[in-house]
Amino acid sequence: MIRSRQPENRLVIFLKQPQRARVKKRLAAGIGDGAALSFYRQMIGATLRLTRDPRWRTTLAITPDRGRSWLKNLHGGNFDVMPQGAGDLGRRMTRMIQSLAPSRVLVIGTDIPGLNARIIDPAFKLLRSHDAVFGPAVDGGFWLVGLAKPQQARRIFDMVRWSTEFALQDVRKNFPPKARIALVDKLDDVDDEAAYRRFLAACR
């Protein structure tokens, strides 16, 4: 009897080249370009620890698409590298998720201080019995999205008010009424000065 191969777990990390005045612009408006860049580099290092886990295969979705010499400075585990391509966040995530079919896919960013493997693993397990999983953010958005079937990504990111408190709400509305959607831990993604101050207070 021939058994079909089970989908593998694929973790996608959206990553931007760390350059002064080009990353974390909302945060930089409050704390300055230098501090924002330093924080972003710190978060990249912390997030790349997830690439060492053998329970999933990691892909770094990078921007800009050309020029990858800066990747030599990244110290993580094993990972693939793919360009994000053009379009808004929804189009870029759709393209990345669909390219990894038929795997179970989780997408995260690099600005979540509370992120660790103890949260990622349950999210993958939830995709065995759910159509989608989200990691809600304190600000109303989401820090993680996962799909059991990558082909579902085609329309779920349409008409989403990105960088607002409605982002998660908008995406959920794009799913069919009977879709099975699970949530994992609510975390703070550090996008602005207020979130950064909460991060510093937690560190103390």
Side-chain angles (χ1 to χ4, degrees):
M1 177 179 179
I2 299 176
R3 296 182 180 180
S4 60
R5 183 177 65 87
Q6 292 297 315
E8 65 178 348
N9 296 329
R10 298 294 297 261
L11 178 67
V12 178
I13 301 175
F14 267 56
L15 179 64
K16 191 172 186 177
Q17 181 178 0
Q19 292 179 299
R20 188 184 182 95
R22 291 180 178 270
V23 296
K24 307 303 296 179
K25 292 182 179 180
R26 288 169 56 198
L27 177 59
I31 68 173
D33 290 334
L37 177 60
S38 178
F39 169 78
Y40 187 62
R41 285 175 170 162
Q42 180 182 351
M43 288 298 98
I44 289 175
T47 306
L48 287 183
R49 295 183 190 133
L50 296 171
T51 68
R52 303 185 184 120
D53 200 299
R55 289 173 291 185
W56 47 77
R57 183 175 175 182
T58 303
T59 296
L60 301 186
I62 65 166
T63 187
D65 295 350
R66 296 183 178 181
R68 301 186 180 187
S69 59
W70 59 277
L71 291 171
K72 297 177 182 179
N73 298 321
L74 299 182
H75 302 286
N78 297 318
F79 50 78
D80 303 319
V81 178
M82 295 178 63
Q84 291 183 23
D88 66 10
L89 179 59
R91 291 196 177 193
R92 286 179 280 138
M93 286 199 295
T94 297
R95 186 183 304 114
M96 191 61 55
I97 291 171
Q98 291 183 331
S99 72
L100 297 176
S103 303
R104 301 186 189 96
V105 181
L106 292 181
V107 178
I108 61 172
T110 50
D111 54 1
I112 312 104
L115 186 58
N116 56 58
R118 292 190 299 275
I119 300 175
I120 296 296
D121 185 52
F124 273 121
K125 289 178 179 176
L126 283 167
L127 289 180
R128 298 174 186 172
S129 56
H130 292 78
D131 298 302
V133 59
F134 288 93
V138 172
D139 62 7
F142 54 93
W143 59 267
L144 172 148
V145 57
L147 296 177
K149 299 177 180 179
Q151 59 269 29
Q152 295 173 323
R154 183 176 181 181
R155 298 188 183 279
I156 66 169
F157 299 121
D158 290 349
M159 304 298 291
V160 175
R161 289 168 284 184
W162 300 110
S163 300
T164 74
E165 68 270 26
F166 304 108
L168 177 55
Q169 174 184 317
D170 290 346
V171 174
R172 293 191 66 170
K173 286 181 179 178
N174 287 332
F175 280 89
K178 294 184 179 181
R180 296 165 296 176
I181 298 176
L183 300 177
V184 293
D185 296 10
K186 178 182 285 189
L187 298 177
D188 212 353
D189 54 345
V190 181
D191 282 329
D192 55 26
E193 183 178 5
Y196 181 72
R197 299 303 174 192
R198 292 194 297 268
F199 162 70
L200 292 180
C203 290
R204 298 191 190 102

